């Protein structure tokens, strides 16, 4: 496990509760919001306190030189990630050095600071990677047990395969979106009355799913699985993920092949990718796995998870303050990211740099740690009272859902920022189309 060098500080003023300490340095893609010249070019940066450090400027100035060429004056991070772990390590070390309080290269150069440092409030964040593929797992035992208890047999809440393998499905990479994107309430087939035919309607049970996702940093060849003890070498970093869910659409459509339209309309991620190097000091063990996994899933590493505090807040329109709906932790996840990636590739599936793989809803052992409204309001039987007196069983139009996450140890904080999305009303449909026009 990596240790934290508490003596490492930045010349930039950073509050103790900032997610973006010099020990973090997450990568993102940004453009200027307030550039008078109209320069909205996307390029790479890292978050440091309330600022963004423009890595393309450091490259141009010859202060950030990596093997294989230039990587940061580009609209995605894919090329940099694909360049390999040696470059990841060198970039992180160089950036930390330039931002440290005892290095004068950037600290004492006002002109360079003016070119390279931007207030986060003055930039627009974009999706950090091109996402070739998106996968969503179902790896929280508490969440799977809650859902199975609600909709199946409480005494047999988990299906027989759940404790044998990381269950998942392939989703839509095209609707992975960045935090701050408004969510249009989806419409589709619902079946409110089991004795009647389905109806077409706007979703009435819109939900969030508190998740993280890891970003694939190294692919494989088709037909060649990734070994579980090598899987961590294929993971670049993590983001927060709100994998929005239309529960009533899903209930009707998911038998026999699983979620489809209920999960394709929006998978919303935080803009900053927190690297596995930054998270290394916060490693911890996964829960005990019984039965012991099959050999291909049996990890040698004991610290195969991470201590990441997670929370969800709901902010109704015109409300003064948000209500905290849940607080949980990534360490409750039953299946590790390495096991997920290995199982994903065990049949020979090819994964690519930039692929995102969602954890599945992260729920803890107590009601205040459940990671979805389905669980928190227990399928609408226990509505939640918000600050101000309103109640919620599911997410309503004009509600904003805010997810946050951070790790903290020895006074050092490494965080993700937030993923935030506001729900807009469903579209109006007129099905009397005239196809001759």
């Amino acid at each position: 496990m990596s240790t934290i060098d508490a003596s490492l500080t930045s010349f930039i003023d950073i509050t103790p509760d900032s997610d973006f300490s010099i020990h973090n340095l997450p990568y993102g893609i940004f453009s200027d919001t307030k550039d008078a010249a109209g320069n909205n070019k996307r390029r790479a940066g890292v978050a440091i306190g309330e600022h963004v450090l423009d890595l393309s400027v450091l490259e141009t100035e010859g202060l950030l030189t990596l093997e294989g060429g230039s990587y940061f004056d580009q609209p995605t991070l894919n090329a940099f990630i694909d360049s390999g772990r040696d470059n990841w390590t060198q970039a992180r070390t160089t950036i930390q050095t330039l931002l440290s309080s005892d290095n004068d290269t950037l600290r004492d150069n006002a002109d360079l600071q003016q070119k390279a440092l931007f207030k986060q409030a003055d930039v627009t964040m974009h999706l950090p990677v091109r996402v070739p593929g998106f996968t969503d797992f179902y790896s929280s035992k508490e969440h799977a047990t809650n859902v199975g208890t609600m909709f199946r047999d409480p005494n047999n809440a988990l299906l027989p395969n759940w404790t044998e393998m990381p269950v998942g499905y392939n989703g839509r990479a095209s609707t992975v979106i960045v935090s701050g994107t408004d969510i249009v309430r989806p419409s589709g087939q619902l079946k409110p009355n089991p004795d009647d035919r389905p109806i077409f309607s706007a979703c009435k049970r819109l939900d969030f799913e508190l998740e993280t996702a890891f970003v694939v940093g190294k692919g494989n060849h088709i037909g060649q699985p990734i070994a579980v003890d090598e899987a961590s070498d294929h993971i670049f970093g993590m983001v927060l993920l709100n994998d929005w869910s239309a529960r009533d659409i899903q209930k009707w459509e998911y038998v026999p092949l699983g979620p489809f339209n209920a999960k394709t309309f929006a998978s919303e991620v935080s803009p900053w990718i927190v690297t596995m190097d930054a998270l290394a000091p916060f490693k911890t063990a996964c829960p005990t796995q019984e039965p012991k996994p099959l050999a291909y899933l049996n990890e040698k590493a004991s610290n195969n998870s991470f201590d990441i505090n997670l929370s969800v807040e709901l902010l109704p329109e015109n409300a003064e303050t948000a209500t905290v709906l849940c607080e949980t932790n990534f360490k409750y996840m039953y299946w590790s990211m390495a096991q997920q990636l290995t199982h994903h590739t065990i049949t020979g599936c090819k994964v690519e740099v930039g692929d995102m793989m969602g954890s599945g809803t992260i729920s803890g052992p107590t009601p205040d740690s459940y990671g979805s409204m389905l669980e928190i309001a227990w399928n609408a039987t226990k509505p939640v009272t918000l600050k101000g007196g309103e109640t919620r069983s599911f997410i309503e139009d004009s509600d904003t859902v805010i997810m946050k996450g951070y790790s903290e140890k020895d006074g050092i904080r490494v965080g993700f920022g937030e993923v935030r999305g506001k729900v807009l009303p469903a579209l109006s449909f007129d099905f009397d189309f005239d196809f001759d026009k």
Side-chain angles (χ1 to χ4, degrees), residues 95-316:
I95 296 165
Q96 274 190 331
T97 300
L98 289 170
L99 288 169
S100 67
S101 55
D102 58 1
N103 187 286
D104 62 4
T105 303
L106 184 58
R107 184 195 65 198
D108 296 343
N109 190 330
D111 290 339
L112 182 57
Q113 286 190 35
Q114 187 174 6
K115 288 192 291 184
L117 282 172
F118 297 79
K119 283 278 193 180
Q120 287 194 37
D122 293 340
V123 305
T124 298
M125 300 304 301
H126 304 277
L127 195 64
V129 292
R130 181 184 63 83
V131 185
F134 175 75
T135 302
D136 190 33
F137 285 94
Y138 190 56
S139 293
S140 163
K141 190 173 186 179
E142 289 81 3
H143 173 68
T145 300
N146 288 337
V147 174
T149 298
M150 268 185 257
F151 296 113
R152 288 192 298 273
D153 177 5
N155 296 319
N156 296 283
L158 297 179
L159 293 173
N161 64 355
W162 199 93
T163 56
E164 297 288 0
M165 62 181 177
V167 177
Y169 70 93
N170 288 305
R172 285 293 299 173
S174 59
T175 41
V176 176
I177 55 177
V178 72
S179 173
T181 306
D182 290 338
I183 308 301
V184 177
R185 180 178 294 273
S187 297
Q189 286 197 22
L190 318 179
K191 202 170 192 297
N193 189 334
D195 296 325
D196 295 334
R197 289 193 65 200
I199 63 172
F200 180 86
S201 170
C203 167
K204 301 181 187 303
R205 294 195 162 198
L206 182 62
D207 202 357
F208 62 81
E209 292 188 2
L210 172 57
E211 304 191 24
T212 62
F214 67 82
V215 178
V216 172
K218 179 182 178 182
N220 64 320
H221 296 292
I222 191 166
Q224 299 294 316
I226 296 171
V228 70
D229 291 322
E230 299 174 2
S232 61
D233 292 333
H234 291 255
I235 299 174
F236 175 71
M238 295 174 67
V239 294
L240 298 177
L241 166 64
N242 183 353
D243 201 20
W244 291 90
S245 181
R247 299 290 184 188
D248 41 5
I249 294 175
Q250 182 172 340
K251 182 180 179 181
W252 169 231
E253 74 177 2
Y254 85 103
V255 177
L257 294 181
F260 184 48
N261 287 326
K263 299 291 293 180
T264 58
F265 61 96
S267 298
E268 196 163 18
V269 299
S270 53
W272 297 108
I273 303 177
V274 178
T275 65
M276 303 318 296
D277 286 340
L279 289 168
F282 308 99
K283 284 185 175 180
T284 189
C286 276
T288 301
Q289 295 178 336
E290 291 291 346
K292 183 178 179 180
L294 298 180
Y296 80 96
L297 290 172
N298 194 17
E299 294 180 83
K300 293 178 182 177
S302 57
N303 286 344
N304 51 0
S305 188
F306 296 87
D307 184 359
I308 304 172
N309 300 295
L310 300 165
S311 65
V312 180
E313 301 173 8
L314 191 146
L315 181 66

Side-chain angles (χ1 to χ4, degrees), residues 49-60:
E50 296 180 355
H51 293 80
V52 177
L53 178 65
D54 189 335
L55 300 184
S56 70
V57 171
L58 300 187
E59 262 187 341
T60 300

Side-chain angles (χ1 to χ4, degrees), residues 5 159 216 236 270 325 339 341 412:
D5 180 5
L159 293 173
V216 172
F236 175 71
S270 53
L325 297 177
Q339 289 172 320
L341 184 56
I412 302 300

Side-chain angles (χ1 to χ4, degrees), residues 1 13 109 208 241 338 346 402 427:
M1 181 184 298
D13 187 27
N109 190 330
F208 62 81
L241 166 64
I346 196 60
I402 307 159
L427 301 177

Side-chain angles (χ1 to χ4, degrees), residues 345-356:
T345 63
I346 196 60
T347 56
C349 174
K350 176 180 171 61
V351 298
E352 299 181 76
V353 169
D355 281 354
M356 284 193 181

Side-chain angles (χ1 to χ4, degrees), residues 208-212 240-243 310-312 326-329 333 359-363 369-372 403-404 419:
F208 62 81
E209 292 188 2
L210 172 57
E211 304 191 24
T212 62
L240 298 177
L241 166 64
N242 183 353
D243 201 20
L310 300 165
S311 65
V312 180
C326 72
E327 295 178 306
T328 187
N329 196 294
M333 298 298 292
S359 60
T361 304
I362 302 170
S363 293
S369 64
Y370 295 165
S372 66
M403 296 180 176
K404 300 177 181 179
V419 54

